[in-house]
Amino acid sequence: MNIDVAATQLAELGHITRLQIYRILVRAGGNGLAVSAIQQQLDIPGSTLSHHIARLVKVGLVSQTREGRVLRCQAQYQQLNKLIHFLSDECCLGS
């Protein structure tokens, strides 16, 4: 991962609503959650939720799949692990 990707992902997670969405999806596990379930937990308008989810999708932290009429979101753990690794990769090298 390069610094530009990491900075972009961290910037998106730096917004309270997007961080809440991401934490909800991480807790949900590999199956993710329907957008409606996320909306129930956060109690925000659908258009606002869609905007925030789209930004997380754009930076690769969330994916979406359509199951009939249901739009399901999943946290992308591989991207999360890459971001965590990027942040901790050079730990203690300067000491």
Side-chain angles (χ1 to χ4, degrees), residues 47-69:
S47 60
T48 301
L49 180 59
S50 293
H51 163 76
H52 289 299
I53 291 172
R55 294 191 63 154
L56 292 169
V57 169
K58 183 178 178 181
V59 297
L61 291 169
V62 171
S63 68
Q64 291 183 309
T65 54
R66 182 158 298 281
E67 299 169 353
R69 296 176 57 205

Side-chain angles (χ1 to χ4, degrees), residues 48-90:
T48 301
L49 180 59
S50 293
H51 163 76
H52 289 299
I53 291 172
R55 294 191 63 154
L56 292 169
V57 169
K58 183 178 178 181
V59 297
L61 291 169
V62 171
S63 68
Q64 291 183 309
T65 54
R66 182 158 298 281
E67 299 169 353
R69 296 176 57 205
V70 175
L71 189 56
R72 184 170 297 278
C73 297
Q74 298 93 10
Q76 294 301 292
Y77 296 103
Q78 184 177 17
Q79 281 299 313
L80 175 60
N81 289 333
K82 286 179 182 180
L83 182 58
I84 291 168
H85 181 71
F86 174 82
L87 293 172
S88 62
D89 189 40
E90 297 178 9

Side-chain angles (χ1 to χ4, degrees), residues 31-42:
N31 289 330
L33 284 175
V35 171
S36 60
I38 300 168
Q39 185 178 14
Q40 275 185 325
Q41 290 187 44
L42 294 179

